[in-house]
Amino acid sequence: MVVTITLNGKKVEALVKPDTLLIDFVRDHGCYSVKRGCETSNCGLCTVFVNDKPVLSCSMLVARVNGCKVDTLEGLQKEAEEFGAFIADQGAEQCGFCNPGMIMNAIALFRENPDPSDEEIKEYLAGNLCRCSGYEGQMRGIKAFLEYKKNGGSR
């Protein structure tokens, strides 16, 4: 079957098998920030945005996003770089493997709730597996970034 997807702002048309997963499609098109971790929808490493909503690409068929807008971290570099610096400042990127999924979900949080409580932040991070940290660095980074945004973008 032929699918047409707007991937990171660029229209992509491709012939795919009916059982092709979205993760395989985006990786085949050069989006290597989308990673395979658990393949059971439990780790968050494969998070992408479909029509601006975070989804786990390891559990979605590419046919389901035919005609949709799909964004990966490669397409969100400006937002990702700005926030990523706050994660790095807190030493929360230790091995870095979880960072793309963590950043994608943090961006979703910032877009949907610019003033979240600690519990709301934890809800967004709940689907992201990080084996190196206790998530405290990520929490500090998110809170510092939110404070930075409240102050008009000045530290």
Side-chain angles (χ1 to χ4, degrees), residues 19 28 54 60 69 72 89 92 111 118 121 123 134 137 142-143:
D19 63 348
D28 287 347
M60 181 171 279
K69 176 178 122 177
T72 67
D89 285 348
R111 289 178 175 182
D118 285 0
I121 294 170
E123 284 178 31
I142 287 171
K143 290 169 87 170

Side-chain angles (χ1 to χ4, degrees), residues 13 15 20 27 32 48 65 71-72 85 107-108 131 147:
E13 189 173 281
L15 180 64
T20 302
R27 288 185 61 82
Y32 301 118
V48 300
V65 299
D71 292 304
T72 67
I107 289 171
R131 291 186 173 111
E147 189 62 32

Side-chain angles (χ1 to χ4, degrees), residues 89-139:
D89 285 348
Q90 297 299 323
E93 85 269 331
Q94 293 178 17
C95 81
F97 195 69
C98 70
N99 277 0
M102 189 77 66
I103 290 173
M104 291 294 287
N105 282 294
I107 289 171
L109 167 66
F110 304 147
R111 289 178 175 182
E112 294 173 21
N113 186 351
D115 191 25
S117 66
D118 285 0
E119 284 306 310
E120 290 168 323
I121 294 170
K122 288 176 185 177
E123 284 178 31
Y124 273 80
L125 297 183
N128 295 281
L129 179 63
C130 176
R131 291 186 173 111
C132 297
S133 77
Y135 302 94
E136 290 303 314
Q138 286 93 339
M139 268 299 270

